[in-house]
Structures are given as structure tokens and as C-alpha cells.
Amino acid sequence: MNSHGRDEQRVVWAVVDSSIGPLLLAATGEGLVSVVFHASDEVRDKTLERLASRFATEPVEAPESPLLTEAIRQFAAYFAGERRDFELPLDWSLISGFNRQVLRELASGVPYGAVVGYGDLARRVGQPGAAQAVGMAMGANPLPLVVPCHRVVERDGGIGGFGGGVETKRKLLALEGVLPEPLF
């Protein structure tokens, strides 16, 4: 308990290598709370500052923690083409409201190797005119890959945007067999 009589929230983190570059994984006692692409030192430091502010505790580097160990194992299997789904507890506390509703639908309703349009996802959550808001929810996703925002594409067949960059999105969709592997 802290001095205010509340349980302190412990945040653990690790940076892991992947075929799309270094990823920062962070978890709380509830589950995986954040996945961050391109985890350079600068990106890592900014992410850890945000997490420290949000959870009122200093994140601790702990790749050996049980949840991170399992997450690291599952991410390695995913990038090796040996895993299609992540089976990890998730901490949804960094997202709320419409964004949480959309991301939960995405996580449960769009399987590996499939894609969905922004407008289709909006209709699935009962907001047929909210395609742009769905795009904003994808951009706010604190758990990319696990909550697969890379599987959301434009209605006209365009790939759409992606917080990790369009090239990263192409690589992920190629890994899942949705797009052909780049020639070079």
C-alpha cells in the first residue's frame, strides 16, 4: 500500500527484437498494457515516462517476470509463423469508451489472415457512420499486434495508415498471408 492507502500498481517492461524491429512490451498485474514499435532509446524513454505518469510508479525493466516471459515467447512464435493468436491477459486501462469497444471487437472478431474495413468495423460496434473514429481508435491502440489494428484496411483496397508505419503494416499482413511478401 502506498501512503494514500491504495495498492501500488507495478509496471514491468522489456525491449525485444522482432522481424519488424525492437518492440517495447509493458505489463501490469492485470496483464499486458502496452506494445510499442520502433523501441529506440528515445521511444523507450518517452514510453516509460508516459507509463510512470499514468500508473504513478516507476516502470521496472523485468524481462524475466512471468507475464513478460510468456509474452516474449508468444511474440517470437508469432514472428516465426508458429502462432496465430496471442493468449495473454490484457490490461485495457489505457483505453476507454468507443475506442475500447472498437478494439475489443477487433481483438475478438478479426482473426489471423483476415482483414476488415474501417467502416465495417464501425458497423460491427453499432456506429455505421464512424469509420474515421475507428481510424482514430486504431491510432490510439496501446496493444498493437495483440489487438491487431494492422488488419484494418481501407474500403477501396488501400492499406490505410498504421502507428508502426505503413511498411511495418505491409510486413505484418504479408506474415499473415494477406499480402504477398515484398520482392526486395
Side-chain angles (χ1 to χ4, degrees), residues 98 101-102 105 116-134:
F98 176 79
Q101 181 184 11
V102 169
E105 173 59 31
V116 65
Y118 294 95
D120 292 333
L121 195 51
R123 279 188 286 285
R124 287 186 188 192
V125 297
Q127 300 290 329
Q132 282 188 314
V134 166

PDB file of all heavy atoms in Angstrom, residues 98 101-102 105 116-134:
ATOM      1  N   PHE A  98     -15.564   4.469 -26.656  1.00  0.00           N
ATOM      2  CA  PHE A  98     -15.713   3.963 -28.022  1.00  0.00           C
ATOM      3  C   PHE A  98     -14.452   3.231 -28.477  1.00  0.00           C
ATOM      4  O   PHE A  98     -14.536   2.166 -29.088  1.00  0.00           O
ATOM      5  CB  PHE A  98     -16.027   5.137 -28.967  1.00  0.00           C
ATOM      6  CG  PHE A  98     -16.117   4.742 -30.414  1.00  0.00           C
ATOM      7  CD1 PHE A  98     -17.257   4.133 -30.908  1.00  0.00           C
ATOM      8  CD2 PHE A  98     -15.056   4.983 -31.285  1.00  0.00           C
ATOM      9  CE1 PHE A  98     -17.351   3.763 -32.248  1.00  0.00           C
ATOM     10  CE2 PHE A  98     -15.139   4.627 -32.627  1.00  0.00           C
ATOM     11  CZ  PHE A  98     -16.292   4.010 -33.114  1.00  0.00           C
ATOM     12  N   GLN A 101     -14.341  -0.200 -27.073  1.00  0.00           N
ATOM     13  CA  GLN A 101     -15.368  -1.032 -27.711  1.00  0.00           C
ATOM     14  C   GLN A 101     -14.885  -1.517 -29.082  1.00  0.00           C
ATOM     15  O   GLN A 101     -15.001  -2.697 -29.409  1.00  0.00           O
ATOM     16  CB  GLN A 101     -16.659  -0.216 -27.845  1.00  0.00           C
ATOM     17  CG  GLN A 101     -17.807  -0.970 -28.459  1.00  0.00           C
ATOM     18  CD  GLN A 101     -19.037  -0.093 -28.651  1.00  0.00           C
ATOM     19  OE1 GLN A 101     -18.997   1.126 -28.509  1.00  0.00           O
ATOM     20  NE2 GLN A 101     -20.141  -0.728 -28.988  1.00  0.00           N
ATOM     21  N   VAL A 102     -14.328  -0.608 -29.866  1.00  0.00           N
ATOM     22  CA  VAL A 102     -13.838  -0.959 -31.197  1.00  0.00           C
ATOM     23  C   VAL A 102     -12.676  -1.942 -31.099  1.00  0.00           C
ATOM     24  O   VAL A 102     -12.629  -2.947 -31.829  1.00  0.00           O
ATOM     25  CB  VAL A 102     -13.407   0.317 -31.969  1.00  0.00           C
ATOM     26  CG1 VAL A 102     -12.643  -0.030 -33.234  1.00  0.00           C
ATOM     27  CG2 VAL A 102     -14.623   1.160 -32.302  1.00  0.00           C
ATOM     28  N   GLU A 105     -13.798  -5.447 -30.155  1.00  0.00           N
ATOM     29  CA  GLU A 105     -14.414  -6.105 -31.314  1.00  0.00           C
ATOM     30  C   GLU A 105     -13.338  -6.573 -32.290  1.00  0.00           C
ATOM     31  O   GLU A 105     -13.401  -7.679 -32.816  1.00  0.00           O
ATOM     32  CB  GLU A 105     -15.398  -5.160 -32.015  1.00  0.00           C
ATOM     33  CG  GLU A 105     -15.963  -5.710 -33.318  1.00  0.00           C
ATOM     34  CD  GLU A 105     -16.717  -7.021 -33.175  1.00  0.00           C
ATOM     35  OE1 GLU A 105     -17.336  -7.263 -32.117  1.00  0.00           O
ATOM     36  OE2 GLU A 105     -16.694  -7.827 -34.140  1.00  0.00           O
ATOM     37  N   VAL A 116     -10.451  -6.304 -42.185  1.00  0.00           N
ATOM     38  CA  VAL A 116     -11.757  -5.672 -42.078  1.00  0.00           C
ATOM     39  C   VAL A 116     -11.579  -4.204 -42.457  1.00  0.00           C
ATOM     40  O   VAL A 116     -10.525  -3.619 -42.216  1.00  0.00           O
ATOM     41  CB  VAL A 116     -12.329  -5.836 -40.645  1.00  0.00           C
ATOM     42  CG1 VAL A 116     -11.483  -5.103 -39.622  1.00  0.00           C
ATOM     43  CG2 VAL A 116     -13.779  -5.397 -40.570  1.00  0.00           C
ATOM     44  N   GLY A 117     -12.610  -3.628 -43.046  1.00  0.00           N
ATOM     45  CA  GLY A 117     -12.573  -2.208 -43.371  1.00  0.00           C
ATOM     46  C   GLY A 117     -12.927  -1.359 -42.161  1.00  0.00           C
ATOM     47  O   GLY A 117     -13.604  -1.822 -41.237  1.00  0.00           O
ATOM     48  N   TYR A 118     -12.479  -0.115 -42.174  1.00  0.00           N
ATOM     49  CA  TYR A 118     -12.794   0.809 -41.084  1.00  0.00           C
ATOM     50  C   TYR A 118     -14.313   0.935 -40.911  1.00  0.00           C
ATOM     51  O   TYR A 118     -14.830   0.864 -39.797  1.00  0.00           O
ATOM     52  CB  TYR A 118     -12.187   2.194 -41.356  1.00  0.00           C
ATOM     53  CG  TYR A 118     -10.677   2.217 -41.343  1.00  0.00           C
ATOM     54  CD1 TYR A 118      -9.941   2.088 -42.514  1.00  0.00           C
ATOM     55  CD2 TYR A 118      -9.979   2.382 -40.148  1.00  0.00           C
ATOM     56  CE1 TYR A 118      -8.551   2.119 -42.505  1.00  0.00           C
ATOM     57  CE2 TYR A 118      -8.589   2.410 -40.124  1.00  0.00           C
ATOM     58  CZ  TYR A 118      -7.882   2.270 -41.311  1.00  0.00           C
ATOM     59  OH  TYR A 118      -6.508   2.295 -41.287  1.00  0.00           O
ATOM     60  N   GLY A 119     -15.031   1.114 -42.021  1.00  0.00           N
ATOM     61  CA  GLY A 119     -16.485   1.240 -41.966  1.00  0.00           C
ATOM     62  C   GLY A 119     -17.165  -0.030 -41.489  1.00  0.00           C
ATOM     63  O   GLY A 119     -18.147   0.019 -40.745  1.00  0.00           O
ATOM     64  N   ASP A 120     -16.644  -1.181 -41.920  1.00  0.00           N
ATOM     65  CA  ASP A 120     -17.217  -2.459 -41.470  1.00  0.00           C
ATOM     66  C   ASP A 120     -17.064  -2.607 -39.959  1.00  0.00           C
ATOM     67  O   ASP A 120     -17.981  -3.058 -39.274  1.00  0.00           O
ATOM     68  CB  ASP A 120     -16.537  -3.635 -42.168  1.00  0.00           C
ATOM     69  CG  ASP A 120     -16.847  -3.695 -43.655  1.00  0.00           C
ATOM     70  OD1 ASP A 120     -17.918  -3.203 -44.055  1.00  0.00           O
ATOM     71  OD2 ASP A 120     -16.013  -4.227 -44.406  1.00  0.00           O
ATOM     72  N   LEU A 121     -15.919  -2.220 -39.447  1.00  0.00           N
ATOM     73  CA  LEU A 121     -15.688  -2.310 -38.006  1.00  0.00           C
ATOM     74  C   LEU A 121     -16.613  -1.341 -37.262  1.00  0.00           C
ATOM     75  O   LEU A 121     -17.168  -1.685 -36.209  1.00  0.00           O
ATOM     76  CB  LEU A 121     -14.214  -2.040 -37.694  1.00  0.00           C
ATOM     77  CG  LEU A 121     -13.701  -2.433 -36.317  1.00  0.00           C
ATOM     78  CD1 LEU A 121     -14.042  -3.856 -35.936  1.00  0.00           C
ATOM     79  CD2 LEU A 121     -12.194  -2.214 -36.252  1.00  0.00           C
ATOM     80  N   ALA A 122     -16.831  -0.165 -37.827  1.00  0.00           N
ATOM     81  CA  ALA A 122     -17.760   0.791 -37.226  1.00  0.00           C
ATOM     82  C   ALA A 122     -19.170   0.188 -37.163  1.00  0.00           C
ATOM     83  O   ALA A 122     -19.859   0.307 -36.137  1.00  0.00           O
ATOM     84  CB  ALA A 122     -17.770   2.100 -38.020  1.00  0.00           C
ATOM     85  N   ARG A 123     -19.608  -0.463 -38.235  1.00  0.00           N
ATOM     86  CA  ARG A 123     -20.929  -1.103 -38.238  1.00  0.00           C
ATOM     87  C   ARG A 123     -21.012  -2.210 -37.190  1.00  0.00           C
ATOM     88  O   ARG A 123     -22.030  -2.362 -36.524  1.00  0.00           O
ATOM     89  CB  ARG A 123     -21.246  -1.661 -39.626  1.00  0.00           C
ATOM     90  CG  ARG A 123     -21.748  -0.605 -40.591  1.00  0.00           C
ATOM     91  CD  ARG A 123     -22.247  -1.194 -41.896  1.00  0.00           C
ATOM     92  NE  ARG A 123     -21.157  -1.654 -42.759  1.00  0.00           N
ATOM     93  CZ  ARG A 123     -20.363  -0.853 -43.464  1.00  0.00           C
ATOM     94  NH1 ARG A 123     -20.526   0.456 -43.406  1.00  0.00           N
ATOM     95  NH2 ARG A 123     -19.406  -1.343 -44.215  1.00  0.00           N
ATOM     96  N   ARG A 124     -19.943  -2.954 -37.026  1.00  0.00           N
ATOM     97  CA  ARG A 124     -19.945  -4.049 -36.043  1.00  0.00           C
ATOM     98  C   ARG A 124     -20.176  -3.561 -34.617  1.00  0.00           C
ATOM     99  O   ARG A 124     -20.676  -4.318 -33.796  1.00  0.00           O
ATOM    100  CB  ARG A 124     -18.613  -4.805 -36.078  1.00  0.00           C
ATOM    101  CG  ARG A 124     -18.432  -5.670 -37.291  1.00  0.00           C
ATOM    102  CD  ARG A 124     -17.155  -6.464 -37.132  1.00  0.00           C
ATOM    103  NE  ARG A 124     -16.812  -7.187 -38.324  1.00  0.00           N
ATOM    104  CZ  ARG A 124     -15.879  -8.135 -38.356  1.00  0.00           C
ATOM    105  NH1 ARG A 124     -15.203  -8.451 -37.261  1.00  0.00           N
ATOM    106  NH2 ARG A 124     -15.606  -8.762 -39.477  1.00  0.00           N
ATOM    107  N   VAL A 125     -19.779  -2.323 -34.330  1.00  0.00           N
ATOM    108  CA  VAL A 125     -19.987  -1.796 -32.975  1.00  0.00           C
ATOM    109  C   VAL A 125     -21.204  -0.872 -32.916  1.00  0.00           C
ATOM    110  O   VAL A 125     -21.378  -0.126 -31.953  1.00  0.00           O
ATOM    111  CB  VAL A 125     -18.723  -1.089 -32.419  1.00  0.00           C
ATOM    112  CG1 VAL A 125     -17.571  -2.078 -32.288  1.00  0.00           C
ATOM    113  CG2 VAL A 125     -18.333   0.122 -33.252  1.00  0.00           C
ATOM    114  N   GLY A 126     -22.054  -0.933 -33.952  1.00  0.00           N
ATOM    115  CA  GLY A 126     -23.298  -0.182 -33.937  1.00  0.00           C
ATOM    116  C   GLY A 126     -23.170   1.292 -34.260  1.00  0.00           C
ATOM    117  O   GLY A 126     -24.061   2.069 -33.945  1.00  0.00           O
ATOM    118  N   GLN A 127     -22.063   1.701 -34.903  1.00  0.00           N
ATOM    119  CA  GLN A 127     -21.843   3.107 -35.267  1.00  0.00           C
ATOM    120  C   GLN A 127     -21.482   3.190 -36.749  1.00  0.00           C
ATOM    121  O   GLN A 127     -20.349   3.502 -37.110  1.00  0.00           O
ATOM    122  CB  GLN A 127     -20.704   3.686 -34.424  1.00  0.00           C
ATOM    123  CG  GLN A 127     -20.939   3.653 -32.935  1.00  0.00           C
ATOM    124  CD  GLN A 127     -22.014   4.635 -32.517  1.00  0.00           C
ATOM    125  OE1 GLN A 127     -22.199   5.690 -33.117  1.00  0.00           O
ATOM    126  NE2 GLN A 127     -22.744   4.279 -31.476  1.00  0.00           N
ATOM    127  N   PRO A 128     -22.452   2.919 -37.644  1.00  0.00           N
ATOM    128  CA  PRO A 128     -22.133   2.802 -39.069  1.00  0.00           C
ATOM    129  C   PRO A 128     -21.492   4.018 -39.716  1.00  0.00           C
ATOM    130  O   PRO A 128     -20.800   3.884 -40.716  1.00  0.00           O
ATOM    131  CB  PRO A 128     -23.478   2.475 -39.713  1.00  0.00           C
ATOM    132  CG  PRO A 128     -24.504   2.855 -38.712  1.00  0.00           C
ATOM    133  CD  PRO A 128     -23.864   2.752 -37.368  1.00  0.00           C
ATOM    134  N   GLY A 129     -21.639   5.190 -39.162  1.00  0.00           N
ATOM    135  CA  GLY A 129     -21.036   6.382 -39.754  1.00  0.00           C
ATOM    136  C   GLY A 129     -19.704   6.768 -39.140  1.00  0.00           C
ATOM    137  O   GLY A 129     -19.197   7.854 -39.385  1.00  0.00           O
ATOM    138  N   ALA A 130     -19.121   5.878 -38.367  1.00  0.00           N
ATOM    139  CA  ALA A 130     -17.951   6.249 -37.568  1.00  0.00           C
ATOM    140  C   ALA A 130     -16.635   5.674 -38.080  1.00  0.00           C
ATOM    141  O   ALA A 130     -15.735   5.392 -37.291  1.00  0.00           O
ATOM    142  CB  ALA A 130     -18.183   5.830 -36.120  1.00  0.00           C
ATOM    143  N   ALA A 131     -16.491   5.546 -39.399  1.00  0.00           N
ATOM    144  CA  ALA A 131     -15.251   4.977 -39.945  1.00  0.00           C
ATOM    145  C   ALA A 131     -14.028   5.798 -39.532  1.00  0.00           C
ATOM    146  O   ALA A 131     -12.985   5.226 -39.183  1.00  0.00           O
ATOM    147  CB  ALA A 131     -15.332   4.877 -41.463  1.00  0.00           C
ATOM    148  N   GLN A 132     -14.131   7.115 -39.561  1.00  0.00           N
ATOM    149  CA  GLN A 132     -12.987   7.945 -39.167  1.00  0.00           C
ATOM    150  C   GLN A 132     -12.668   7.764 -37.684  1.00  0.00           C
ATOM    151  O   GLN A 132     -11.505   7.727 -37.292  1.00  0.00           O
ATOM    152  CB  GLN A 132     -13.234   9.418 -39.469  1.00  0.00           C
ATOM    153  CG  GLN A 132     -13.039   9.765 -40.925  1.00  0.00           C
ATOM    154  CD  GLN A 132     -13.104  11.261 -41.145  1.00  0.00           C
ATOM    155  OE1 GLN A 132     -13.987  11.942 -40.633  1.00  0.00           O
ATOM    156  NE2 GLN A 132     -12.157  11.770 -41.914  1.00  0.00           N
ATOM    157  N   ALA A 133     -13.695   7.645 -36.864  1.00  0.00           N
ATOM    158  CA  ALA A 133     -13.478   7.418 -35.430  1.00  0.00           C
ATOM    159  C   ALA A 133     -12.810   6.071 -35.196  1.00  0.00           C
ATOM    160  O   ALA A 133     -11.978   5.926 -34.290  1.00  0.00           O
ATOM    161  CB  ALA A 133     -14.801   7.510 -34.675  1.00  0.00           C
ATOM    162  N   VAL A 134     -13.147   5.090 -36.023  1.00  0.00           N
ATOM    163  CA  VAL A 134     -12.470   3.786 -35.937  1.00  0.00           C
ATOM    164  C   VAL A 134     -10.993   3.966 -36.257  1.00  0.00           C
ATOM    165  O   VAL A 134     -10.123   3.397 -35.586  1.00  0.00           O
ATOM    166  CB  VAL A 134     -13.134   2.742 -36.858  1.00  0.00           C
ATOM    167  CG1 VAL A 134     -12.248   1.518 -37.027  1.00  0.00           C
ATOM    168  CG2 VAL A 134     -14.493   2.344 -36.311  1.00  0.00           C
TER     169      VAL A 134
END
